[in-house]
Amino acid sequence: LSGKSGTPNGVVSKNDLRRILSSTSTGRDSTGGNGQSLLKSVELLDEPFATEPGLEVLWNIHSRMKLVERHTALLHAAENGGISEEDFDRTLKEWQNLSSFRQSGVAGGPRPATQQAAEEASAGSVERLRTGIHSGLDRALGGGLRRKELGLLIAPTNHGKTTTLLRIAAELSKEKKVCLILSFEIYREMIIERLQQLMGKKLPKTLYVEDYPSDEMSVEDVMRVADQVKGLDLLIVDHIDLLRHNDLDLINAHGQAVRRLRGYARKRECVVWTAAQADDPEPGQLFLLPNQTYGSRQKRHAADIALGMIFNPARRLQTFALWKTRHGHLRPDGKHGFALDADMVGMKFREVAI
């Protein structure tokens, strides 16, 4: 479909899709192209995409074009003396598959019960590591981040990025998880002091803290350091914007860095949390907006979880907006909001309603 609509990056608008859908019966699309070439493009999307509204529209196009193509072939065969039993059976099977797709939302029809049960059991066996930031957030994420996932926390300067990441590490350390914190902004002794405030006791031996000067460590250096920690459960990189990048296009470089760390999470079967910079909020603003993310769009796209955060010192209120999750459950409006009564000096946090 790339380039059909004339919109940037081959994006097809809803109106374009409607015109294409309404014109497939003639075998020509709305731009004058051949409907068969469009069919070949759509057929590449042979995956269970029904959960995504836009791709469900594409599958509607796919289904209708398939049916029109077969129906035309059947009529042509009937006019010329009939159709073979083999061709008829194949046509009937395709028709049934498309019909079952419409009912189940899975290409090729419903999964066998045994296969579905095995997939659900496998998905349920993946351990989730809770964030500990807010009980509502962990519920929205289905219990927390799954292993092999990357969470991205986006906030303005001095709004609590480091403290929030340390809270995640502190909560998991209490559960005897192996955690590594790599800081490129705050020195090691201050990190340890904050962790002791949060945990109220001597730090466990499974919690590792290292600090490095900003712009000296690359993503590859981070992964080499993390490789030295056995049985790693959680890696915290504070934060992604302070790494060294060879690409002069920093927006692209930051996006690539998040993708590399996400790949590392899959390799080590651990959870990775990192943070990114955002623009300053407006006075009195309650939640951070996605358009205030200071060039972090590519980072959000690469992450499994994207969380915007604001701290209002006058009201002592820290708010979180869950923008993206791959495995949780967003509200119909597509977002979740959470708030804490946050005493950043005393390191005390209490959930409050907003």
Side-chain angles (χ1 to χ4, degrees):
L1 296 177
S2 178
K4 287 287 183 183
S5 64
T7 52
N9 300 320
V11 175
V12 180
S13 69
K14 291 182 179 179
N15 289 333
D16 291 325
L17 291 174
R18 290 193 187 100
R19 286 198 298 271
I20 294 171
L21 181 59
S22 63
S23 63
T24 51
S25 59
T26 63
R28 306 286 292 183
D29 63 35
S30 60
T31 59
N34 191 319
Q36 298 301 315
S37 63
L38 176 61
L39 174 62
K40 292 179 181 178
S41 298
V42 176
E43 281 182 329
L44 296 176
L45 302 174
D46 191 17
E47 294 186 29
F49 281 127
T51 55
E52 299 288 340
L55 293 173
E56 185 176 8
V57 174
L58 291 180
W59 261 108
N60 285 335
I61 298 172
H62 180 174
S63 302
R64 181 164 177 174
M65 292 188 69
K66 275 284 191 181
L67 296 178
V68 169
E69 181 184 37
R70 282 298 173 190
H71 182 63
T72 303
L74 282 171
L75 288 177
H76 179 74
E79 291 172 356
N80 292 275
I83 184 171
S84 69
E85 184 175 352
E86 180 182 351
D87 289 339
F88 181 80
D89 288 342
R90 184 172 66 253
T91 300
L92 181 61
K93 183 177 180 181
E94 289 184 2
W95 185 291
Q96 292 172 341
N97 281 343
L98 288 170
S99 298
S100 63
F101 162 76
R102 296 293 301 153
Q103 296 174 3
S104 68
V106 180
R111 290 169 292 173
T114 53
Q115 178 186 351
Q116 186 170 358
E119 290 178 1
E120 290 176 353
S122 175
S125 65
V126 178
E127 182 184 7
R128 292 181 182 270
L129 304 185
R130 65 189 186 93
T131 67
I133 297 174
H134 194 288
S135 60
L137 173 61
D138 284 325
R139 283 196 300 271
L141 298 177
L145 265 70
R146 292 178 177 177
R147 290 184 181 273
K148 304 183 181 182
E149 288 188 331
L150 180 142
L152 177 65
L153 178 68
I154 303 175
T157 301
N158 294 326
H159 278 248
K161 289 189 295 293
T162 298
T163 298
T164 303
L165 292 176
L166 294 183
R167 288 179 59 206
I168 296 173
E171 290 298 321
L172 291 178
S173 293
K174 293 176 184 178
E175 300 174 5
K176 299 182 179 180
K177 301 297 184 184
V178 179
C179 306
L180 171 62
I181 301 171
L182 299 181
S183 175
F184 304 100
E185 189 173 29
I186 301 176
Y187 56 86
R188 183 175 182 272
E189 289 73 17
M190 183 177 290
I191 294 288
I192 292 175
E193 181 180 331
R194 290 192 186 184
L195 286 169
Q196 289 173 336
Q197 282 184 277
L198 289 168
M199 302 183 71
K201 59 181 180 180
K202 185 178 179 180
L203 300 185
K205 294 182 179 180
T206 56
L207 180 57
Y208 302 90
V209 180
E210 298 292 343
D211 66 322
Y212 299 92
S214 60
D215 296 325
E216 287 193 8
M217 294 277 286
S218 65
V219 177
E220 289 73 20
D221 295 329
V222 168
M223 293 188 290
R224 278 194 289 269
V225 172
D227 282 338
Q228 300 175 30
V229 179
K230 297 182 179 179
L232 184 64
D233 295 305
L234 172 68
L235 170 62
I236 287 181
V237 179
D238 183 27
H239 54 81
I240 197 73
D241 296 343
L242 298 178
L243 295 178
R244 187 185 76 246
H245 305 284
N246 296 325
D247 193 340
L248 295 179
D249 182 352
L250 290 182
I251 292 179
N252 180 67
H254 291 163
Q256 291 294 335
V258 172
R259 291 184 180 89
R260 294 294 303 278
L261 286 177
R262 186 169 170 239
Y264 185 77
R266 280 148 178 74
K267 174 185 173 183
R268 292 294 305 272
E269 296 187 0
C270 66
V271 166
V272 175
W273 270 100
T274 187
Q277 190 69 25
D279 296 327
D280 290 331
E282 298 294 330
Q285 182 177 336
L286 189 59
F287 290 104
L288 190 68
L289 301 176
N291 61 4
Q292 296 175 303
T293 53
Y294 193 69
S296 296
R297 182 177 180 182
Q298 291 197 30
K299 287 176 273 193
R300 295 202 318 269
H301 288 175
D304 295 295
I305 305 298
L307 196 65
M309 183 181 70
I310 288 180
F311 174 62
N312 186 324
R315 298 175 59 184
R316 209 169 75 170
L317 186 69
Q318 190 176 31
T319 63
F320 302 88
L322 179 58
W323 294 329
K324 174 186 177 182
T325 170
R326 297 187 191 276
H327 300 286
H329 306 281
L330 288 176
R331 293 194 315 231
D333 60 6
K335 58 186 177 183
H336 276 280
F338 313 97
L340 294 170
D341 178 8
D343 178 3
M344 292 294 187
V345 177
M347 294 296 168
K348 295 179 181 179
F349 304 90
R350 181 174 61 90
E351 296 178 12
V352 293
I354 51 175

